[in-house]
Amino acid sequence: MEYFLEGKTIFITGATGFLAKILVEKILRVQPNVKKLFLLVRASDTKSAKKRFNDEVMQTELFIVLREKIGVNNLNSLIEEKVFPIAGDISFEDFGIENSEMKNEMFKEIDIIINSAATTRFDERYDIAMNINVQGAVNVLNFAKRCVNVKIIIHVSTAYVCGEGEGIIQEKSFTLGETLNKNSKLDIDVEKKVIEEKLKELEAQRSTTKEVTMAMRDLGIQRANLHGWPNTYSFTKAMGEMLLGHFKENLQLVIIRPTIITSTYKEPFPGWIEGVKTVDSFILAYGKGVLNFCFGDPNSKIDMIPGDMVVNSILAAIIAHIGKDRYYSSQELIYHISSSKRNPLKSSDIRLFLFHYFTKNPWINKDGKIIKVGMPTLFSNMDSFQKYISTYYWPLLKIVELVNVLSWHRFDKTYKDLKRKIDMSIRLCELYKPYVLFHGSFDDCNSERLRMTMKGYNMDDKLNFDPNCIKWEDYFMKTHLPGAVKHIF
């Protein structure tokens, strides 16, 4: 790796995101002789971008290993010399970079582009998701076409662009306009017009900001469902892939499709996580005593992969493909970074891990109360879950509501807490149903070839992304759950 990335200039979008932070730390730790890192940071100007990078990236615990390895002063010098936070926004042409001198320098020097910018909220406003996940990808591509020395674009997508697939999900590309239900025709320009018209309609109705947000979230889900995708996130990420593949011309494009990204497995240390990820929503709610159930077919596979393994796959793909003369088909340049095929993890396993961990390590809330948990009830489909809510919780909520009214609102807090639990339960199940009731396995033949390539370079340990090495019970009990409690509870 030292040889391959030495003297290279790398441009990374989404630089304050979870994955990009791990990526930046890894590059600086193992290859301090990289020439430059241009990091796109959403900010109004360079000063604000530098401050945000320092506050949200460098000051995180993630950099403690590097800080101890080379010392604070040397790290500061390294950052000053190599790292250049760029104020911009991926949803604008040329990212809205106003400094023409800096922009021209980027056009001349960039060798590698890694697009990790995305909104990962499943029910994001359709206009926002379109701007970031779709138009943002196009803006990265157009910028790359003006970089005279660019050798490769790595686009971080998601394995769940496949929707609610079954069987073996292949590492294959989309064609422009392809849909998952085969009964509709997808025209991305039409989707943009639908957004524009809806916003005009809401403006004419003088809708409040909250009303606009809810309407645009609903619109995203509706349009996604129309074309066969379960949510706005996977739908817009698929459209982004389509446009990149269709308009890339001679640029070498690699698409990394990770599954559910979890805390670090090994580097820079085990268990680092930031923000509430997919499965962590249930972990958080269960550990804090808000929910007492798990949602998922006991035999369905929950495909998870640690964040540092995803980063290793990105770097491996760069090393394998940069400057190579061999022609690769678009199908060969898509990598599922996943675990379900080689080291499957079942819903029922996670249920046991949660129960055992929080029984041994109960959460203590801000009032000093120990939160005791029971074995979570497992619902294998939406019907059984909705029946459970209708039978046990809605009648109870109605009784509490009546008592609250008759007692002049003495039980306001009890009523609101119960309603919050019910609303959260329903929302979590609706949002995460495509992931926890997923009945497919992700083929990773391309990824396996990439692993073998790294083995040929004697770099399979330094850039390990082999799910076979993960012992799931150890990982959950000793790494992921302690990390989640420490960093997101």
Side-chain angles (χ1 to χ4, degrees):
M1 182 168 172
E2 288 82 354
Y3 169 77
F4 286 102
L5 292 183
E6 184 172 359
K8 295 292 188 291
T9 294
I10 305 172
F11 176 42
I12 302 172
T13 68
T16 58
F18 172 66
L19 211 57
K21 289 177 183 177
I22 302 173
L23 176 62
V24 169
E25 192 278 340
K26 173 98 177 188
I27 293 171
L28 292 175
R29 178 163 43 83
V30 303
Q31 181 45 286
N33 293 321
V34 66
K35 186 178 180 182
K36 288 180 183 177
L37 292 180
F38 288 118
L39 306 179
L40 189 67
V41 177
R42 197 164 62 234
S44 56
D45 53 41
T46 302
K47 184 179 179 181
S48 300
K50 286 182 176 179
K51 185 178 187 307
R52 189 175 175 206
F53 171 73
N54 182 66
D55 293 348
E56 297 184 25
V57 181
M58 292 309 302
Q59 295 306 314
T60 62
E61 186 188 6
L62 183 69
F63 282 80
I64 193 170
V65 172
L66 182 56
R67 206 172 285 121
E68 290 175 353
K69 180 182 177 183
I70 67 174
V72 174
N73 291 337
N74 287 335
L75 178 57
N76 290 339
S77 298
L78 181 65
I79 298 299
E80 188 68 27
E81 180 188 354
K82 306 282 187 178
V83 180
F84 298 86
I86 307 296
D89 188 322
I90 196 171
S91 61
F92 294 116
E93 182 180 352
D94 287 347
F95 316 120
I97 299 172
E98 296 180 353
N99 186 331
S100 57
E101 189 177 326
M102 174 61 76
K103 193 158 54 175
N104 288 331
E105 183 182 340
M106 294 170 74
F107 288 148
K108 289 176 186 175
E109 295 194 19
I110 289 172
D111 298 294
I112 299 160
I113 295 176
I114 302 169
N115 179 31
S116 68
T119 173
T120 58
R121 183 181 181 125
F122 296 158
D123 60 345
E124 181 62 271
R125 282 178 52 151
Y126 194 27
D127 52 336
I128 292 175
M130 179 68 77
N131 285 340
I132 297 173
N133 295 345
V134 184
Q135 189 57 47
V138 174
N139 292 337
V140 169
L141 183 64
N142 290 338
F143 193 87
K145 288 178 179 179
R146 298 170 66 186
C147 295
V148 294
N149 290 312
V150 73
K151 297 167 183 66
I152 192 168
I153 302 172
I154 304 287
H155 176 69
V156 182
S157 185
T158 171
Y160 292 97
V161 289
C162 67
E164 297 176 274
E166 294 187 356
I168 302 295
I169 313 298
Q170 302 296 326
E171 293 166 302
K172 73 180 189 69
S173 59
F174 285 103
T175 56
L176 188 64
E178 181 179 346
T179 65
L180 296 183
N181 65 17
K182 311 303 179 188
N183 296 320
S184 64
K185 183 179 178 182
L186 174 60
D187 184 324
I188 297 173
D189 288 331
V190 169
E191 295 303 312
K192 291 178 180 179
K193 287 178 183 176
V194 168
I195 290 171
E196 188 180 336
E197 289 169 4
K198 186 65 176 179
L199 287 171
K200 283 181 180 177
E201 177 190 319
L202 291 165
E203 184 180 5
Q205 294 171 351
R206 297 185 179 181
S207 302
T208 64
T209 302
K210 186 176 181 180
E211 287 169 341
V212 171
T213 296
M214 295 308 297
M216 296 310 292
R217 282 183 185 171
D218 289 344
L219 179 65
I221 297 292
Q222 289 163 13
R223 300 304 294 184
N225 293 166
L226 173 66
H227 297 300
W229 279 270
N231 55 52
T232 310
Y233 170 58
S234 57
F235 178 41
T236 52
K237 290 299 283 186
M239 285 192 282
E241 281 194 24
M242 290 177 197
L243 291 172
L244 286 173
H246 189 76
F247 292 109
K248 70 183 180 67
E249 297 175 357
N250 294 323
L251 286 172
Q252 183 160 229
L253 170 70
V254 172
I255 295 177
I256 302 289
R257 289 179 180 166
T259 51
I260 299 169
I261 302 175
T262 56
S263 61
T264 52
Y265 175 70
K266 184 178 179 182
E267 293 186 78
F269 55 85
W272 187 77
I273 193 167
E274 186 178 65
V276 180
K277 312 301 176 193
T278 308
V279 174
D280 300 318
S281 300
F282 284 97
I283 292 172
L284 187 67
Y286 173 72
K288 288 194 169 185
V290 177
L291 299 182
N292 62 348
F293 70 89
C294 286
F295 189 57
D297 185 322
N299 295 311
S300 65
K301 299 170 185 176
I302 306 295
D303 200 310
M304 304 171 73
I305 197 78
D308 52 333
M309 287 193 173
V310 179
V311 162
N312 287 343
S313 73
I314 291 170
L315 295 172
I318 292 170
I319 291 167
H321 296 295
I322 192 168
K324 297 295 188 294
D325 294 329
R326 183 199 150 188
Y327 171 77
Y328 290 87
S329 72
S330 60
Q331 310 298 341
E332 292 179 287
L333 295 174
I334 291 177
Y335 296 101
H336 281 156
I337 311 304
S338 56
S339 61
S340 55
K341 182 180 177 183
R342 298 181 187 275
N343 188 8
L345 172 69
K346 293 182 179 179
S347 292
S348 53
D349 296 329
I350 296 177
R351 179 191 183 209
L352 286 173
F353 300 156
L354 284 174
F355 175 67
H356 290 316
Y357 182 82
F358 286 106
T359 299
K360 293 178 182 177
N361 308 279
W363 172 251
I364 300 174
N365 69 15
K366 61 183 180 180
D367 299 323
K369 181 184 177 183
I370 296 174
I371 305 300
K372 294 182 180 180
V373 298
M375 177 65 79
T377 304
L378 185 64
F379 297 106
S380 58
N381 55 58
M382 282 299 290
D383 287 343
S384 62
F385 169 70
Q386 287 169 347
K387 183 178 179 181
Y388 175 78
I389 292 292
S390 299
T391 304
Y392 295 102
Y393 280 94
W394 282 126
L396 178 60
L397 184 66
K398 290 296 182 185
I399 292 169
V400 173
E401 182 181 25
L402 178 61
V403 171
N404 189 41
V405 171
L406 294 175
S407 63
W408 298 92
H409 298 277
R410 283 180 58 193
F411 297 95
D412 259 354
K413 187 177 184 303
T414 304
Y415 172 75
K416 288 176 181 176
D417 285 349
L418 180 58
K419 189 174 187 306
R420 179 174 57 85
K421 286 184 179 183
I422 295 171
D423 290 344
M424 179 186 285
S425 302
I426 294 170
R427 181 177 175 275
L428 285 176
C429 288
E430 288 174 346
L431 282 179
Y432 298 130
K433 173 178 168 281
Y435 304 89
V436 296
L437 292 179
F438 190 78
H439 292 99
S441 292
F442 291 98
D443 176 58
D444 65 346
C445 289
N446 291 345
S447 293
E448 182 62 14
R449 280 195 291 270
L450 186 58
R451 283 189 279 269
M452 291 302 102
T453 301
M454 291 304 102
K455 194 170 185 177
Y457 290 143
N458 293 318
M459 296 175 65
D460 49 319
D461 183 51
K462 186 167 282 187
L463 294 179
N464 175 34
F465 58 102
D466 185 355
N468 277 320
C469 70
I470 304 172
K471 295 179 180 178
W472 286 117
E473 184 171 3
D474 278 356
Y475 173 70
F476 266 85
M477 299 296 286
K478 298 176 182 177
T479 300
H480 186 64
L481 292 177
V485 169
K486 179 179 180 180
H487 296 289
I488 66 176
F489 264 50

